[in-house]
Amino acid sequence: MKIQNYINGAYQNHHSGDWMDNYDPSIGAIYGQIPNSNKEDVEEAYAFAKAAFTSWSNTTLDQRSRILNKIADLIEANLDRLAEAESRDNGKPLWLAKAVDIPRASANFRFFAQAITQFSSEAHETVGTNTMNFTLRQPIGVVGCISPWNLPLYLFTWKVAPAIAAGNCIVAKPSEVTPMTAYLLGEILTEAGLPPGVLNILHGQGQSVGQAIVEHPDIKAISFTGGTTTGAHIARTAAPIFKKLSLELGGKNPNLIFADCDYGAMLKESIRSSFANQGQICLCGSRIYIERPIYEQFKEHFVQIVSKNKVGNPMDADTKFGALVSESHLKKVLSYVQHARDNEGYTVLYGGNRVTVAGSENGYYMEPTIIEVTDNSCKLNQEEIFGPVVTLMPFDTEEEALSLANDVKYGLSATVWTTDINRAMRVSKQLEAGIVWINTFLNRDLRTPFGGVKNSGVGREGGLEALRFFTEPKNVCIKYN
Ligand code: NDP
């Protein structure tokens, strides 16, 4: 199967005529081809986006809101088809795509359909001087949105929904590894009546089509989610041309478990925060620190439960963990385990191996993996693995727990388990993270600011923060008699 770019409201072929293979990770085989788009395609998409801008930015909020709601409706109506496409492209269990990825993509459009009607700006009266200032919040123009492979439609729509709600037009690029649902979204956009040129979707490599979007002198803002190294490269490219940037980058999140926690709830949620989506969520808690009095008990129970979860074909209803996204990613994740065993002498408490699934022998499957470490400066605790690998380490005091949690270059999210409200407040304030969950994980209210500190990013998505990013504030100062 060959997919096409979606430009000016229609599917069309790319200029180069080169194609790239698209793999089904559950069977480790090519199942389609995607356009290897280039700078020419970006130029073309930009020209259509620019042409659409005047009209789209002057469309009433009510009209924009109606179109966004219609897109949300159509995503819901296509739940099964989109979930199957997502699962096949990414390797995630079908039930997960149905329960989380696709409903959230719909919710993103529905949320920003409402949010844009509630968006307001400030006014400042300079009292005593007959001066009134008010701030216009105007759309930026043509913006670029670049998203990763782990939550493909979920994260793609998390960017494009606020961008178009705010009146911008877009040149967007999903990950080359998981392009299918962004491709299918084109049909939905057309059916929902989104005017041609408002959202253009290009497929291809980061270094060519992604780079061309970032370098384009007239694409005025870039909303990027992906790895920290790519983010740093994008920042270096965009800085001299003064682009507005939102960078949502990698994480190495701590899960702090205090002995006074609700043990049952913590245990259940810690399985999810460790291994959901095969550990390929930027928010997964891959460093688990446990207060010493419950360390041995936790270790035993955690291993026991994890070992009962089935790794299998994503389409099977009883599969808990599906395939990793690609062979290269699987090899990278396995290399961390090997390093921990061979170079650091750590004990793998469970897992650590590739899994052969009957009927899908070439798929990229791996056991959920639990490793006990003793030194927080080890590679496993410092580098983002982005796979089904967690480490366990005991701590004795709250101060030590905080010091271990903060001792990484990342600062995306943190999870804390305690029933002591005073501790919860103290720890939340001192954790170096953009998001802290107390006694819960991945509990999202779309109005809240989302993003990281340190090497996990710059800026915030979510709620009004996203609408602020996708608009330019202009102060108008009026002197009157
Ligand atoms: P990458 O950084 O490799 O890629 C992200 C996107 O950027 C892809 O579409 C990629 O294209 C594109 N890209 C690559 N090079 C360039 C370039 N030079 N210019 C423009 N675009 C480029 O990340 P992954 O796709 O591997 O995703 C995993 C990473 O994403 C992890 O580090 C994870 O933590 C992070 N992430 C962060 C989240 C957050 O909210 N903070 C949420 C989810 C993931 P291509 O696919 O073609 O390479």
Side-chain angles (χ1 to χ4, degrees):
M1 171 183 187
K2 284 187 167 172
I3 67 170
Q4 290 175 299
N5 290 335
Y6 180 79
I7 297 182
N8 200 32
Y11 288 115
Q12 66 173 59
N13 282 332
H14 53 297
H15 285 91
S16 73
D18 293 344
W19 295 89
M20 299 160 64
D21 293 332
N22 190 19
Y23 282 79
D24 174 344
S26 73
I27 51 170
I30 296 165
Y31 83 103
Q33 289 195 304
I34 77 162
N36 192 1
S37 306
N38 61 22
K39 206 171 169 171
E40 269 183 280
D41 302 292
V42 172
E43 281 300 343
E44 188 181 10
Y46 169 77
F48 283 117
K50 185 170 182 262
F53 178 67
T54 306
S55 164
W56 180 246
S57 58
N58 284 298
T59 304
T60 65
L61 296 185
D62 185 47
Q63 184 61 15
R64 275 187 231 161
S65 179
R66 250 184 277 171
I67 293 173
L68 265 73
N69 267 322
K70 181 77 181 156
I71 298 171
D73 290 344
L74 289 169
I75 292 176
E76 276 165 27
N78 283 281
L79 172 72
D80 289 344
R81 185 172 171 231
L82 289 168
E84 274 162 32
E86 200 73 293
S87 171
R88 188 166 195 202
D89 227 12
N90 174 278
K92 67 178 70 210
L94 179 60
W95 61 261
L96 185 65
K98 270 190 189 171
V100 177
D101 292 71
I102 308 306
R104 173 58 192 275
S106 167
N108 289 339
F109 279 104
R110 211 173 289 294
F111 175 81
F112 285 106
Q114 307 304 322
I116 194 60
T117 66
Q118 307 299 312
F119 192 40
S120 60
S121 60
E122 317 89 67
H124 303 90
E125 184 181 7
T126 318
V127 177
T129 67
N130 287 356
T131 310
M132 186 68 194
N133 292 274
F134 64 90
T135 308
L136 286 173
R137 279 268 167 193
Q138 296 175 296
I140 295 170
V142 179
V143 301
C145 296
I146 300 175
S147 54
W149 50 257
N150 64 324
L151 302 166
L153 194 63
Y154 176 134
L155 290 175
F156 186 77
T157 54
W158 185 229
K159 297 182 178 307
V160 300
I164 59 176
N168 300 282
C169 294
I170 307 175
V171 180
K173 190 198 99 63
S175 169
E176 74 187 58
V177 188
T178 52
M180 273 311 288
T181 46
Y183 163 72
L184 294 173
L185 184 68
E187 279 175 30
I188 289 175
L189 301 177
T190 302
E191 195 180 338
L194 187 73
V198 173
L199 173 50
N200 304 281
I201 303 169
L202 302 183
H203 302 282
Q205 287 173 316
Q207 285 103 329
S208 55
V209 68
Q211 183 76 19
I213 293 172
V214 177
E215 281 175 353
H216 197 289
D218 298 315
I219 295 180
K220 298 268 188 325
I222 301 291
S223 173
F224 169 82
T225 298
T228 295
T229 308
T230 317
H233 172 77
I234 288 175
R236 275 195 299 275
T237 310
I241 38 180
F242 307 111
K243 262 181 221 265
K244 200 171 180 185
L245 283 183
S246 165
L247 301 173
E248 297 295 337
L249 310 177
K252 188 72 194 175
N253 312 304
N255 179 5
L256 300 184
I257 300 171
F258 288 92
D260 64 7
C261 69
D262 174 342
Y263 188 80
M266 175 280 295
L267 196 58
K268 188 164 171 252
E269 234 11 36
S270 290
I271 306 282
R272 197 166 78 92
S273 66
S274 302
F275 300 117
N277 205 38
Q278 293 72 249
Q280 302 166 134
I281 302 181
C282 53
L283 305 161
C284 277
S286 56
R287 297 179 289 140
I288 312 184
Y289 301 105
I290 308 107
E291 201 169 1
R292 202 173 298 275
I294 58 166
Y295 183 75
E296 290 302 327
Q297 178 191 354
F298 174 83
K299 195 164 97 174
E300 189 190 327
H301 290 160
F302 191 63
V303 169
Q304 221 173 58
I305 298 173
V306 170
S307 66
K308 289 193 185 119
N309 286 310
K310 177 183 161 187
V311 176
N313 190 294
M315 299 296 161
D316 295 346
D318 61 344
T319 286
K320 183 82 175 173
F321 306 123
L324 271 63
V325 76
S326 67
E327 185 163 35
S328 59
H329 190 56
L330 171 66
K331 283 184 177 158
K332 182 188 136 188
V333 176
L334 286 168
S335 76
Y336 275 98
V337 181
Q338 196 173 354
H339 177 86
R341 270 198 195 113
D342 301 352
N343 301 42
E344 304 194 277
Y346 284 142
T347 309
V348 177
L349 298 172
Y350 183 78
N353 304 301
R354 188 171 182 160
V355 174
T356 305
V357 170
S360 311
E361 284 77 5
N362 295 324
Y364 313 134
Y365 300 94
M366 179 177 170
E367 290 171 314
T369 300
I370 307 163
I371 303 177
E372 190 170 39
V373 303
T374 51
D375 181 354
N376 206 44
S377 67
C378 69
K379 206 168 141 137
L380 281 186
N381 268 27
Q382 294 295 319
E383 294 183 15
E384 185 186 41
I385 301 173
F386 213 55
V389 178
V390 295
T391 61
L392 307 189
M393 202 172 160
F395 68 83
D396 291 299
T397 63
E398 183 180 306
E399 197 184 17
E400 186 192 358
L402 273 166
S403 152
L404 291 166
N406 289 336
D407 179 29
V408 287
K409 64 183 181 183
Y410 296 101
L412 188 53
S413 69
T415 307
V416 181
W417 292 93
T418 178
T419 49
D420 179 343
I421 186 71
N422 298 313
R423 188 205 306 277
M425 279 307 297
R426 277 195 307 271
V427 171
S428 301
K429 285 189 171 188
Q430 291 174 81
L431 279 167
E432 294 167 1
I435 303 149
V436 176
W437 280 296
I438 307 287
N439 300 330
T440 183
F441 166 71
L442 234 180
N443 192 333
R444 297 278 294 119
D445 179 326
L446 301 189
R447 292 171 299 178
T448 59
F450 180 90
V453 298
K454 294 156 79 175
N455 287 19
S456 290
V458 179
R460 292 291 180 275
E461 296 188 321
L464 300 182
E465 297 281 346
L467 295 177
R468 287 193 194 103
F469 175 76
F470 283 116
T471 51
E472 203 62 79
K474 180 191 285 171
N475 191 65
V476 179
C477 176
I478 305 173
K479 173 84 177 162
Y480 58 94
N481 291 322

